[in-house]
């Protein structure tokens, strides 16, 4: 781009006749030079900058151009190479260095995450949700932000209104190599389908660590975008500040006005290492490095403006920046380390639901099955809270869920609040991050537990870590409903139990109700909990069709009934006489296990006490341990395959905590250790626990 020069304090660019403010150019130069010196400082102090980090060298122009076009009401998801973008948004080198060195005053994560992994709710800057290192994974949560903004704009509810300011835009930054991730496609599909106000800024430096563009992709992001009808797109030289600024100015203005998605493909150069640990000399040739060096945004920018600003003036700026960077780095090195006593802070945000409230069994109310208890709970929540939405596969008004668990909700609340999605478990789960960030409370559904695995990336990488790594700024308030369990020939892909897999994920809460009253109380508590909750709902208990599960139907609790998490229940008491003679066993279980245990207990003389856990995270260890100590004999019952299960882990914890009170080893009964639940009902029954199998094991325990 040829530049004509200055006129009345602005820069006139011949390419478009657009004008760029003179002071903005000076600011851009100061920040470009800052990014250059920061990278050099980190490289010169490798023993101090020991934690892995990347820098923005080669990407500065497009990043600053993007940042300068954003407003405080906007949202942006930078990725791990976007330090220049953060500088352009107003973050200081010192603040960024605090994260680089994992210091206590790191404004983003308090020393918990890598350099250029920001999150922010600062009122004077664009907002940033939690940023992970998993390339491409940020695209779904960020698209969820745009989805939430669109909902708030269209709802007409004054409490959800965004305000009279200019409409916000959402920017998601990513590298071209991450465009090959399947979850990126899910996000793009949703964005164009719903025409969301989002910009996908793809910075293409032709490398994915050591994988070249030729090796790793059949097309670049711009070409890939051709396949998404309704996705506007443009190419830009991301090393040219002027071209980048004007392109981003136009795209941001279009999204702010017309509320539609864009993809900006910015060609950049990679001047520094992939990361401090994966160095450029490991895999790049001298010719490749020289080619990239020719496009250095800093050199190109300085060469354009030096004639008008003067070399001496630019050198004066450089000296000021050099002093600032040195002072900032020295201060950051000397800054205090995090307080290790606070390492457990922010795993969860505090919940307001800490005690049982409301009427559990109001007089005059009829008994309802579990599936209706869930439906009624969500209906009441949606009537009371405009920010409550429900979406997932087939939950819309045509079907209301494959189990009819959302029946009538779509008709009552409209397609904007209850709607179908495509077959996109990752998007369904991950979008709740962005929806929650803008103040909504989504309830989403995965059709069967077996199908949650495509969403595990989002659950593990984004949702579970968001509260902890943002130091409490971005807990994800969502309910993820998951029908679970086997009965009646559901087969290998509709009958699985997944609680042990879920329980390896820290930072999510897990409920597993066994009856209608618990279902409603826990659903309500989960909604008001600011943390992510997975509701495991045994489909064999939904209508109490399985013989022996009639007690899962219960009187519908009142609308204000709340059941706090972490409070188990005694589903069946052993007699005091049997306890006094030492002839009792306690069964610790949940879900369908409660009914197997009740059926087995009928064959004993008040000798069996049953604990229904109700929630698996948090777990009522106080009730568990006190019960085991009272009886001296314990069996943990689960529907899952037994080996390496949650039940076995719990048995180990019980053994340690209650060792001196035990009269026998803690037993575990689960399903056979098979890869899947067989379709044939006879084979299914052979695999699963039941009352008869449990009775045999209980008699063995009582014989000790």
């Amino acid at each position: 781009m040829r530049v004509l020069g200055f006129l009345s304090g602005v820069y006139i660019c011949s390419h478009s006749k657009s004008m760029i403010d003179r002071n903005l150019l000076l600011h851009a130069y100061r920040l470009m030079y800052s990014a250059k010196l920061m990278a050099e400082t980190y490289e010169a102090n490798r023993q101090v900058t020991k934690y892995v980090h990347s820098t923005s060298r080669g990407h500065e122009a497009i990043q600053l151009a993007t940042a300068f076009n954003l407003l405080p009401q906007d949202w942006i998801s930078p990725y791990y190479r976007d330090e220049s973008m953060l500088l352009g948004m107003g973050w200081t080198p010192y603040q960024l260095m605090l994260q680089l060195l994992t210091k206590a005053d790191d404004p983003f994560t308090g020393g918990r995450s890598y350099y250029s992994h920001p999150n922010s709710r600062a009122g004077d800057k664009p907002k940033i949700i939690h940023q992970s290192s998993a390339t491409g994974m940020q695209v779904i949560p960020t698209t969820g932000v745009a989805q939430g903004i669109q909902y708030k704009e269209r709802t007409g509810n004054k409490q959800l209104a965004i305000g009279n300011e200019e409409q916000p835009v959402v920017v998601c930054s990513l590298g071209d190599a991450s465009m090959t991730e399947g979850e990126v496609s899910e996000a793009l599909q949703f964005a164009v389908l719903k025409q969301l106000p989002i910009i996908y800024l793809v910075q293409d430096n032709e490398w994915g660590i050591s994988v070249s563009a030729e090796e790793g992709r059949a097309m670049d992001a711009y070409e890939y975008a051709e396949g998404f009808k309704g996705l506007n797109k443009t190419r830009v030289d991301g090393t040219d500040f002027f071209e980048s600024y004007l392109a981003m100015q136009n795209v941001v203005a279009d999204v702010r006005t017309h509320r539609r998605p864009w993809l900006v493909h910015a060609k950049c150069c990679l001047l520094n290492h992939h990361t401090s640990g994966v160095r450029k000399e490991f895999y790049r040739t001298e010719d490749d490095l020289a080619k990239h060096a020719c496009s250095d945004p800093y050199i190109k920018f300085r060469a354009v403006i030096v004639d008008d600003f003067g070399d001496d003036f630019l050198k004066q700026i450089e000296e000021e920046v050099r002093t600032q960077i040195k002072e900032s780095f020295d201060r950051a090195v000397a800054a205090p380390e995090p307080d290790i006593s606070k390492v457990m802070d922010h795993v969860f945000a505090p919940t307001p639901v800490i005690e049982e409230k409301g009427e559990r069994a109001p007089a005059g109310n009829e008994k309802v099955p579990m599936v209706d208890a869930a439906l009624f709970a969500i209906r009441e929540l949606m009537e009371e809270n405009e920010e409550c939405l429900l979406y997932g596969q087939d939950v819309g008004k045509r079907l209301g869920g494959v189990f009819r668990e959302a029946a009538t909700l779509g008709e009552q609340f409209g397609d904007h609040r209850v709607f179908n999605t495509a077959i996109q478990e990752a998007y369904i789960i991950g979008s709740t991050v962005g929806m929650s960030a803008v103040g909504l409370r989504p309830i989403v559904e995965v059709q069967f537990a077996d199908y949650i695995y495509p969403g595990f990336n989002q659950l593990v990488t984004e949702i579970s870590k968001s509260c902890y790594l943002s130091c409490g700024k971005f807990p994800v308030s969502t309910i993820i409903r998951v029908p679970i369990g086997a009965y009646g020939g559901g087969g290998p892909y509709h009958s699985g139990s997944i609680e042990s897999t879920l329980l390896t994920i820290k930072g999510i809460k897990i409920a597993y109700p066994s009856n209608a009253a618990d279902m409603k109380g826990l659903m309500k508590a989960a909604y008001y909990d600011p943390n992510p909750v997975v509701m495991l709902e045994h489909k064999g208990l939904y209508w109490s069709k399985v013989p022996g599960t009639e007690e899962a139907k219960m009187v519908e609790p009142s609308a204000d009934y709340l059941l706090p998490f972490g409070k188990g229940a005694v589903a069946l008491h052993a007699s005091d006489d049997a306890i006094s003679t030492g002839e009792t066993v306690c069964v610790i279980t949940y879900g369908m296990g409660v009914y197997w245990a009740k059926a087995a207990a009928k064959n004993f003389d008040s000798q069996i006490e049953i604990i229904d856990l109700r929630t698996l995270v948090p777990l009522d260890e106080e009730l568990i341990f006190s019960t085991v100590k009272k009886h001296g004999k314990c069996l943990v019952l689960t529907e899952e395959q037994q080996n390496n299960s949650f039940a076995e882990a719990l048995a180990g914890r019980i053994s340690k905590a209650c060792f001196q009170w035990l009269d026998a080893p803690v037993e575990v009964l689960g399903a056979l250790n098979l890869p899947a639940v067989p379709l044939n009902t006879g084979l299914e029954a052979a695999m699963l626990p039941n009352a008869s199998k449990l009775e045999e094991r209980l008699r063995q325990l009582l014989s000790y």
Side-chain angles (χ1 to χ4, degrees):
M1 180 185 299
R2 187 168 65 88
V3 177
L4 299 180
F6 287 110
L7 178 65
S8 302
V10 298
Y11 228 31
I12 305 177
C13 302
S14 62
H15 178 73
S16 64
K17 305 302 182 187
S18 297
M19 295 182 289
I20 303 177
D21 182 79
R22 174 187 178 94
N23 291 327
L24 184 66
L25 294 176
L26 289 175
H27 186 47
Y29 184 72
R30 180 179 293 274
L31 295 183
M32 269 199 202
Y33 193 66
S34 296
K36 179 178 184 295
L37 287 189
M38 289 162 70
E40 293 172 356
T41 299
Y42 304 159
E43 184 67 11
N45 294 272
R46 288 176 61 188
Q47 287 187 322
V48 177
T49 57
K50 59 186 178 181
Y51 299 107
V52 65
H53 59 272
S54 298
T55 72
S56 59
R57 288 291 285 122
H59 294 237
E60 301 95 326
I62 184 62
Q63 291 183 19
L64 292 173
T66 301
F68 291 165
N69 279 289
L70 298 181
L71 300 173
Q73 64 264 33
D74 296 332
W75 291 77
I76 185 166
S77 287
Y79 82 127
Y80 58 81
R81 200 178 297 285
D82 285 356
E83 64 181 356
S84 287
M85 190 178 292
L86 296 173
L87 291 171
M89 290 164 57
W91 299 97
T92 67
Y94 174 67
Q95 290 173 312
L96 301 187
M97 290 171 182
L98 288 173
Q99 185 172 52
L100 172 82
L101 301 173
T102 69
K103 297 295 186 172
D105 294 331
D106 157 24
F108 306 126
T109 72
R112 295 176 177 188
S113 198
Y114 312 96
Y115 186 55
S116 194
H117 283 59
N119 59 80
S120 173
R121 288 191 180 274
D124 61 341
K125 299 177 180 67
K127 311 302 180 289
I128 308 171
I129 58 175
H130 154 69
Q131 297 300 298
S132 77
S133 287
T135 53
M137 296 305 100
Q138 75 273 30
V139 182
I140 286 177
T142 313
T143 305
V145 172
Q147 179 186 349
I149 287 173
Q150 183 186 78
Y151 173 75
K152 293 176 74 172
E153 289 173 353
R154 293 180 175 180
T155 185
N157 185 293
K158 292 183 179 180
Q159 292 180 338
L160 296 181
I162 294 173
N164 297 321
E165 59 200 3
E166 290 189 70
Q167 297 282 51
V169 302
V170 180
V171 177
C172 181
S173 175
L174 66 159
D176 197 290
S178 65
M179 288 294 294
T180 56
E181 285 277 7
E183 294 184 20
V184 175
S185 173
E186 290 193 21
L188 296 179
Q189 286 273 5
F190 198 91
V192 298
L193 178 67
K194 301 295 185 181
Q195 286 294 286
L196 301 180
I198 186 169
I199 302 165
Y200 300 101
L201 173 61
V202 182
Q203 300 176 57
D204 183 3
N205 61 32
E206 299 184 346
W207 284 101
I209 308 185
S210 68
V211 179
S212 67
E214 292 76 16
E215 290 177 287
R217 68 188 188 198
M219 65 201 79
D220 65 26
Y222 184 88
E223 295 163 333
Y224 186 61
E226 291 280 357
F228 294 90
K229 184 180 179 180
L231 179 60
N232 303 280
K233 59 188 182 301
T234 187
R235 288 189 190 271
V236 63
D237 180 356
T239 67
D240 185 318
F241 176 78
F242 301 97
E243 183 178 333
S244 296
Y245 182 82
L246 297 175
M248 293 307 299
Q249 185 179 58
N250 291 334
V251 170
V252 169
D254 183 87
V255 177
R256 212 177 287 285
T257 301
H258 298 293
R259 320 306 285 152
R260 57 188 182 181
W262 275 81
L263 183 142
V264 177
H265 178 248
K267 291 287 289 186
C268 301
C269 56
L270 181 58
L271 300 181
N272 211 339
H273 312 289
H274 167 70
T275 68
S276 55
V278 182
R279 305 180 67 74
K280 57 189 178 184
E281 60 267 19
F282 292 174
Y283 59 92
R284 297 176 66 183
T285 66
E286 291 185 6
D287 288 345
D288 175 67
L289 292 170
K291 182 188 76 170
H292 282 245
C294 290
S295 299
D296 187 336
Y298 162 73
I299 293 176
K300 290 172 67 172
F301 188 56
R302 195 183 197 283
V304 171
I305 67 173
V306 65
D307 289 341
D308 292 282
F309 284 110
D311 187 64
D312 289 342
F313 184 59
L314 294 183
K315 285 182 177 178
Q316 179 182 334
I317 291 177
E318 292 164 10
E319 185 57 35
E320 292 171 359
V321 170
R322 191 175 293 109
T323 299
Q324 179 199 17
I325 297 304
K326 184 181 186 308
E327 290 178 349
S328 296
F329 188 71
D330 290 344
R331 283 179 60 208
V333 170
E337 297 289 325
D339 182 351
I340 61 173
S341 69
K342 296 181 179 180
V343 69
M344 292 291 293
D345 289 0
H346 306 300
V347 174
F348 293 114
T351 176
V353 182
I354 56 176
E355 59 183 33
E356 191 170 0
K357 294 182 178 179
E359 290 188 75
R360 183 175 174 87
N365 278 14
E366 296 182 354
K367 285 187 176 182
V368 296
M370 276 181 60
V371 70
D372 284 352
L375 171 67
F376 299 157
I378 295 173
R379 176 183 294 158
E380 291 166 358
L381 288 168
M382 297 190 78
E383 288 172 342
E384 298 168 6
N385 304 281
E386 190 76 18
E387 66 271 20
C388 180
L389 302 91
L390 174 68
Y391 57 95
Q393 296 171 38
D394 298 305
V395 303
K397 59 188 176 185
R398 282 194 203 95
L399 185 61
V402 293
F403 297 102
R404 302 291 290 156
E405 71 283 0
T408 73
L409 292 178
E411 294 177 356
Q412 181 175 353
F413 297 105
D415 293 337
H416 66 300
R417 292 186 67 190
V418 181
F419 56 89
N420 293 326
T421 67
I423 304 171
Q424 295 182 328
E425 287 84 4
Y427 189 86
I428 292 167
I429 291 173
S431 62
T432 65
V433 176
M435 298 281 275
S436 174
V438 299
L440 302 177
R441 290 179 177 259
I443 302 173
V444 299
E445 180 181 308
V446 175
Q447 281 190 344
F448 294 91
D450 308 78
Y451 299 148
I452 199 172
Y453 296 105
F456 254 58
N457 273 345
Q458 292 296 319
L459 196 58
V460 174
T461 304
E462 309 300 329
I463 290 179
S464 70
K465 295 177 174 61
S466 185
C467 185
Y468 184 70
L469 293 182
S470 69
C471 293
K473 293 190 288 295
F474 286 100
V476 180
S477 180
T478 184
I479 301 173
I480 301 169
R481 299 185 65 190
V482 183
I484 191 172
Y487 85 101
Y493 294 101
H494 298 80
S495 307
S497 292
I498 60 169
E499 55 266 34
S500 290
T501 308
L502 287 171
L503 284 160
T504 64
I505 307 170
K506 313 310 174 191
I508 61 174
K509 295 186 177 182
I510 302 171
Y512 203 139
S514 68
N515 59 67
D518 288 353
M519 172 72 89
K520 187 171 185 181
L522 290 171
M523 186 74 76
K524 290 289 187 77
Y527 179 80
Y528 294 111
D529 195 313
N531 301 288
V533 174
V534 177
M535 292 285 294
L536 298 178
E537 306 172 14
H538 200 294
K539 60 185 189 291
L541 300 178
Y542 265 160
W543 297 280
S544 293
K545 290 183 178 179
V546 176
T549 63
E550 293 78 10
E551 291 182 8
K553 294 181 179 179
M554 300 191 80
V555 172
E556 183 190 357
S558 61
D560 62 347
Y561 180 63
L562 296 171
L563 182 61
F565 277 50
K567 300 293 183 183
V570 181
L572 182 69
H573 288 276
S575 70
D576 291 338
D577 289 342
I579 294 172
S580 66
T581 60
E583 296 176 337
T584 58
V585 176
C586 63
V587 177
I588 313 297
T589 190
Y590 53 95
M592 186 65 78
V594 173
Y595 299 95
W596 291 328
K598 284 184 175 181
K602 292 177 181 178
N603 298 310
F604 296 86
D605 186 14
S606 300
Q607 296 171 281
I608 309 302
E609 188 146 314
I610 303 170
I611 299 299
D612 182 354
L613 295 177
R614 302 203 285 199
T615 66
L616 308 184
V617 178
L619 186 64
D620 193 347
E621 290 189 346
E622 181 179 352
L623 176 62
I624 294 169
F625 296 158
S626 64
T627 303
V628 173
K629 291 174 182 178
K630 180 171 64 174
H631 296 279
K633 299 184 181 73
C634 172
L635 183 144
V636 183
L637 175 62
T638 180
E639 184 172 325
E640 280 194 295
Q641 293 90 328
Q642 180 171 325
N643 282 11
N644 305 315
S645 64
F646 158 67
E648 285 197 333
L650 179 56
R653 287 153 69 183
I654 292 171
S655 295
K656 182 176 181 180
C658 306
F659 181 74
Q660 67 187 86
W661 288 272
L662 292 174
D663 299 321
V666 178
E667 292 284 341
V668 178
L669 176 60
L672 299 181
N673 299 300
L674 303 177
V677 180
L679 180 61
N680 177 273
T681 53
L683 295 175
E684 177 190 76
M687 177 188 180
L688 296 177
N690 58 33
S692 177
K693 295 175 185 178
L694 177 60
E695 179 185 349
E696 180 181 350
R697 295 288 292 277
L698 291 175
R699 292 197 184 281
Q700 291 173 2
L701 260 179
L702 284 169
S703 69
Y704 273 89

